Amino acid sequence: MTQLDERDGVESTEQAVVAASRGSAAYRADPHPVYACLRESAPVCRLSPPHGVETYLITRYDDAKSALTDPRISKDMYAAMDAYHTIFGDSSIALDDNMLFSDPPKHTRLRRIVNSAFSPRRIESLRPRIQEVTDELLERCSTSEPIDLLSSFAFPLPLIVICELLGIPEGERADMQKWCAVVARTGFSKADKEKLAVAEGSLREYFAELIARRRREPSDDLLGALIRTQDEQGAMTDGELLSTLWVLLFAGHKTTAYLIGNAVLNLLTHRDQLQAVLADPELLPNAIEEIIRYEGSVENATFRHALEDITIRDTTIPKGSLVQVAVASANRDPEKFASPDTFDVRRQGLQSAHLGFGSGPHYCLGAPLARMEMRIALTTLFERFPAIDLAVPPHEAEWLKVPFPAFRGLERLPVALEPSRIGSGDRA
């Protein structure tokens, strides 16, 4: 697809700005034409989103990468509490007192604590269990009728892994997933905020009870390690511990689940690329990086605001304004990536270039785990079901419709694991 093709349906810069501001249905279904237009004509543009807080959208790669590491652009929610409260309401504050919504030195302190518990050795030790869970989930999937791969496989896999890592009991995970789904899909209306408040209140109560339980009954899981660190060093407040548990759970499964879905969809709609990976499995790690670049699960980076007036490309972002970094747009910037709208599993230099896991101090802590889960999930899926195909035409893929484009993912992914068996009543 050419850059000109990407702009089809976006007739003007004004139209693109309105679509991005309002989260229009067409924009949420396919944001890339809007981003292509804005990169060319308004790479730093003022939006008028439904929450009413002045926001500036950054769409070019160089500007996005700079913004992600610029100390003048803060992630500290307490330094912009009025704006944060307007957007998210009271209920989110207690859950967001973590490293994701903080600046140094607080961010440095919290990140160091989690790093010590979220060690490479602990992550690598999960490999056999991730493979076991993958096999178990696929074994349960029907081959005699189409299935939703998201609900059957892509979501349960990372959810089980992160819950086991944290020490969340199996019988308590269904409620976790239900509450997390409300948080991920909430818009800006009064009704949406009321639903959000209920879900976040339930999460706070649950985590507080779980932490108290783990203090009474010490464990060797990640939560146990964090509690020991807090108790021995006084390194985290109770609120920070609860909020850290939340962000590890939420970020530890949502982004990977959507990424697995995006990967399967794009490999099945680019059969030449899938065949290249199947013929040479050593291509898979690079293919995963290309998937993260081409259709990653993080469309826009999380909450940021300007600590002072900042000028980028002749546009001044006033102090106090929100700064929205369009990761999905940056990853398709032709000034950085040749033929950016082409899905190419052999593309070179990706891991150090794409912004799918962020950049700088806030680079995704869970990137190694996500890559491991992706590699095991895709290898096992395509080895076990080499004939897998979409059960609906590609143009009928349903993308998330939430007005704010935090995630880029599918609502569902209907597939036939073994098309020849559909209707036969057989099971794998």
Side-chain angles (χ1 to χ4, degrees), residues 382-397:
F382 287 111
E383 283 183 351
R384 183 163 184 158
F385 301 110
I388 182 175
D389 203 357
L390 296 175
V392 296
H395 69 270
E396 292 184 11

Side-chain angles (χ1 to χ4, degrees), residues 98-100 102-116 235 361-362:
N98 54 55
M99 60 187 176
L100 187 62
S102 61
D103 294 334
K106 178 178 178 178
H107 171 265
T108 307
R109 170 175 59 84
L110 294 176
R111 175 100 180 195
R112 183 173 57 247
I113 295 166
V114 178
N115 267 335
S116 66
H362 285 277

Side-chain angles (χ1 to χ4, degrees), residues 83-403:
Y84 187 92
H85 183 271
T86 298
I87 300 169
F88 300 108
D90 292 327
S91 61
S92 298
I93 295 171
L95 289 179
D96 286 343
D97 189 13
N98 54 55
M99 60 187 176
L100 187 62
F101 295 97
S102 61
D103 294 334
K106 178 178 178 178
H107 171 265
T108 307
R109 170 175 59 84
L110 294 176
R111 175 100 180 195
R112 183 173 57 247
I113 295 166
V114 178
N115 267 335
S116 66
F118 210 76
S119 65
R121 178 179 296 181
R122 185 186 290 270
I123 299 306
E124 181 57 34
S125 72
L126 297 173
R127 186 180 297 275
R129 179 56 179 154
I130 295 172
Q131 183 65 64
E132 184 179 22
V133 173
T134 299
D135 292 337
E136 290 173 355
L137 290 170
L138 291 177
E139 178 66 29
R140 297 176 197 163
C141 292
S142 174
T143 58
S144 61
E145 60 186 1
I147 65 164
D148 174 17
L149 198 70
L150 285 190
S151 61
S152 300
F153 179 60
F155 266 92
L157 173 58
L159 182 64
I160 291 170
V161 171
I162 195 64
C163 283
E164 290 187 356
L165 180 62
L166 291 171
I168 296 174
E170 183 175 359
E172 299 169 11
R173 295 171 192 168
D175 284 338
M176 288 287 95
Q177 187 170 13
K178 177 182 67 177
W179 296 327
C180 286
V182 173
V183 175
R185 295 165 181 262
T186 298
F188 300 115
S189 70
K190 181 179 179 182
D192 282 339
K193 287 186 177 181
E194 289 173 352
K195 292 177 184 176
L196 178 65
V198 171
E200 290 183 326
S202 299
L203 285 162
R204 287 195 306 275
E205 291 173 4
Y206 173 75
F207 289 138
E209 191 279 327
L210 179 63
I211 291 167
R213 196 190 321 165
R214 286 290 176 265
R215 280 212 166 94
R216 294 191 304 268
E217 306 165 4
S219 60
D220 292 328
D221 48 49
L222 181 57
L223 176 55
L226 290 172
I227 289 173
R228 284 192 295 276
T229 300
Q230 183 197 28
D231 289 347
E232 292 168 5
Q233 302 176 17
M236 278 196 289
T237 67
D238 288 345
E240 289 169 347
L241 176 60
L242 186 152
S243 182
T244 295
L245 179 58
W246 155 244
V247 76
L248 291 175
L249 171 70
F250 187 77
H253 84 278
K254 282 289 180 185
T255 52
T256 304
Y258 287 131
L259 194 55
I260 292 171
N262 294 358
V264 173
L265 174 67
N266 279 288
L267 287 168
L268 292 180
T269 53
H270 297 83
R271 285 284 178 175
D272 59 328
Q273 301 300 298
L274 175 57
Q275 291 307 313
V277 173
L278 294 177
D280 181 7
E282 294 301 313
L283 275 177
L284 182 57
N286 200 69
I288 290 170
E289 302 304 321
E290 173 68 345
I291 289 158
I292 296 169
R293 181 202 70 83
Y294 182 79
E295 201 79 89
S297 57
V298 176
E299 186 172 336
N300 281 265
T302 50
F303 183 85
R304 281 172 167 81
H305 59 96
L307 293 175
E308 59 186 69
D309 289 356
I310 302 169
T311 300
I312 304 175
R313 292 188 187 266
D314 298 324
T315 297
T316 297
I317 301 175
K319 177 181 177 180
S321 300
L322 297 190
V323 181
Q324 186 172 320
V325 181
V327 173
S329 176
N331 281 337
R332 291 213 191 182
D333 187 343
E335 293 186 4
K336 179 63 179 179
F337 301 100
S339 303
D341 302 313
T342 297
F343 180 56
D344 179 7
V345 298
R346 292 186 174 88
R347 190 184 296 272
Q348 296 300 302
L350 282 168
Q351 186 165 331
S352 61
H354 72 67
L355 301 179
F357 288 123
S359 184
H362 285 277
Y363 185 84
C364 178
L365 181 76
L369 176 58
R371 287 185 169 110
M372 182 190 296
E373 289 173 320
M374 285 284 289
R375 188 167 186 175
I376 293 173
L378 295 176
T379 297
T380 309
L381 176 67
F382 287 111
E383 283 183 351
R384 183 163 184 158
F385 301 110
I388 182 175
D389 203 357
L390 296 175
V392 296
H395 69 270
E396 292 184 11
E398 295 182 55
W399 295 93
L400 292 173
K401 303 178 180 68
V402 179

